């Protein structure tokens, strides 16, 4: 893996991805932040050596280097998911690359279902903790221990200072920002009613198919990370309406300007 990390980092540095300060991972259907970016370079994932190639067509799949709110950032437009057939090393490889390129902080967004029924479709949730239901860890692979202690402390996986800033920004901007626990599942099928009941019982406020692997690796790398979920559907097991991916994407897009505002204001402060 070390060889791959070096080659990919070198490739991107040659492409001009020099000294970025911030890494940003944009979730499914969440690309509007890019309207605020002065793009300097962009490379399709399938041109980047050792990067997994994007398969699901609504993930555009580009790595972007540019300026946003005065900060130099590397931005993933679309991420990799386990449900596309990648493994946890593939899914988290870009986080390791961002760190090697020099990013000091990581901002993550995703679309998620609301398990906590006080939260509504279109609301935002700051992730303050998570439950890993993926059945694996990106640190449980041969060779990863060569990259640092794998017994990573997860007592506070989301950066407190950036999280507090986001809460403050949300208050000032009149954005309703919940806080809660995100559970990650493999997918790609959505959950059954029984699974939603189970998720509620174990303490999840939201459920999605991403983010946790990247956050585990960010912690492995001691890279401060914050994450915000856009809640795209209400997972009420007693009144469960069929959801489809188009609805999820449409809701994500409607709620997205609030998330863009939060991230832009945070970028001004960090
Ligand atoms: N379950 C899992 N992932 C999701 C959901 C959901 O209800 N909504 C958006 N992503």
């Amino acid at each position: 893996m070390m060889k791959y990390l070096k080659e990919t980092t070198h490739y991107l540095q040659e492409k001009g991805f020099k000294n970025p300060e911030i890494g940003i991972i944009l979730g499914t259907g969440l690309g509007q932040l890019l309207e605020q970016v002065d793009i300097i370079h962009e490379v399709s994932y399938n041109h980047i050596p050792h990067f997994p190639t994007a398969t699901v067509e609504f993930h555009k799949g580009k790595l972007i280097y540019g300026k946003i709110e005065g900060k130099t950032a590397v931005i993933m437009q679309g991420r990799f998911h386990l449900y596309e057939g990648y493994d946890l090393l593939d899914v988290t490889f870009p986080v390791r690359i961002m760190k090697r390129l020099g990013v000091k902080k990581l901002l993550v967004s995703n679309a998620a279902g609301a398990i906590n029924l006080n939260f509504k479709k279109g609301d935002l949730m700051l992730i303050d903790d998570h439950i890993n239901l993926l059945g694996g860890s990106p640190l449980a692979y041969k060779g990863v221990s060569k990259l640092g202690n794998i017994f990573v402390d997860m007592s506070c996986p989301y950066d407190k200072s950036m999280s507090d800033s986001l809460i403050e920004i949300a208050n000032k901007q009149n954005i309703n920002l919940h806080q809660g626990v995100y559970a990650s599942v493999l997918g790609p099928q959505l959950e059954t009613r029984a699974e939603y009941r189970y998720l509620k019982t174990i303490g999840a406020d939201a459920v999605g198919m991403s983010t946790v692997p990247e956050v585990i690796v960010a912690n492995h790398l001691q890279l401060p990370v914050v994450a915000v979920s856009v809640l795209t559907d209400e997972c009420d097991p007693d009144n469960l309406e069929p959801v489809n991916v188009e609805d999820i994407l449409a809701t994500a897009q409607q709620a997205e300007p609030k998330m863009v505002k939060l991230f832009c204001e945070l970028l001004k402060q960090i």
Side-chain angles (χ1 to χ4, degrees):
M1 173 143 75
M2 192 62 95
K3 180 170 168 272
Y4 285 4
L5 287 169
K6 281 186 181 155
E7 285 173 5
T8 306
T9 307
H10 180 72
Y11 170 89
L12 288 167
Q13 281 167 339
E14 293 282 290
K15 287 267 169 204
F17 285 58
K18 296 269 163 70
N19 303 318
E21 300 157 89
I22 310 286
I24 304 176
I25 302 177
L26 299 176
T28 303
L30 301 171
Q32 289 171 34
L33 185 81
L34 291 173
E35 289 161 22
Q36 311 302 320
V37 180
D38 290 326
I39 297 178
I40 301 171
H41 303 294
E42 58 176 55
V43 192
S44 292
Y45 291 153
N46 44 16
H47 292 144
I48 304 175
H50 315 304
F51 249 51
T53 36
T55 53
V56 175
E57 68 188 277
F58 52 74
H59 299 146
K60 289 222 184 91
K62 265 191 265 171
L63 197 66
I64 290 158
Y65 174 88
K67 281 266 181 197
I68 172 164
E69 300 293 352
K71 299 287 188 312
T72 312
V74 178
I75 304 168
M76 288 184 74
Q77 182 179 18
R79 59 149 65 78
F80 301 102
H81 298 88
L82 290 184
Y83 65 70
E84 295 169 271
Y86 303 116
D87 69 24
L88 285 156
L89 281 185
D90 296 329
V91 164
T92 53
F93 186 75
V95 178
R96 295 192 180 279
I97 294 298
M98 285 180 171
K99 168 78 181 184
R100 282 182 162 255
L101 287 170
V103 311
K104 302 285 183 290
K105 293 189 161 87
L106 182 64
L107 278 51
V108 179
S109 67
N110 64 40
I115 299 290
N116 184 331
L117 297 177
N118 297 318
F119 301 174
K120 299 293 165 215
K121 189 170 152 166
D123 288 353
L124 303 183
M125 186 187 93
L126 175 69
I127 302 182
D128 71 17
D129 207 345
H130 71 224
I131 302 173
N132 178 9
L133 297 176
L134 296 170
S137 164
L139 308 182
Y141 285 81
K142 278 187 201 144
V144 177
S145 61
K146 292 208 187 83
L147 303 172
N149 168 36
I150 56 171
F151 301 100
V152 175
D153 173 52
M154 292 294 278
S155 57
C156 187
Y158 297 84
D159 184 68
K160 175 95 174 64
S161 146
M162 283 196 288
S163 295
D164 287 348
S165 301
L166 282 172
I167 293 166
E168 207 182 297
I169 293 163
N171 281 337
K172 278 203 189 123
Q173 302 282 340
N174 262 324
I175 294 170
N176 188 6
L177 179 66
H178 305 293
Q179 292 167 60
V181 175
Y182 174 92
S184 62
V185 295
L186 175 60
Q189 72 286 351
L190 291 146
E191 289 68 41
T192 64
R193 288 165 297 162
E195 286 165 342
Y196 285 138
R197 279 192 198 99
Y198 161 76
L199 288 165
K200 189 170 183 167
T201 305
I202 63 170
D205 295 296
V207 58
M209 302 172 194
S210 67
T211 303
V212 166
E214 292 104 316
V215 169
I216 292 172
V217 167
N219 278 267
H220 189 216
L221 297 167
Q222 298 181 329
L223 177 62
V225 56
V226 278
V228 174
S229 292
V230 177
L231 302 173
T232 54
D233 52 303
E234 292 165 22
C235 308
D236 178 358
D238 298 321
N239 298 289
L240 191 60
E241 312 224 344
V243 281
N244 64 45
V245 175
E246 286 74 33
D247 288 347
I248 286 179
L249 293 180
T251 308
Q253 262 165 35
Q254 276 162 29
E256 199 181 352
K258 292 186 283 187
M259 211 206 65
V260 171
K261 188 84 201 160
L262 286 184
F263 276 12
C264 284
E265 292 298 317
L266 179 66
L267 285 165
K268 283 184 199 163
Q269 294 181 16
I270 58 181

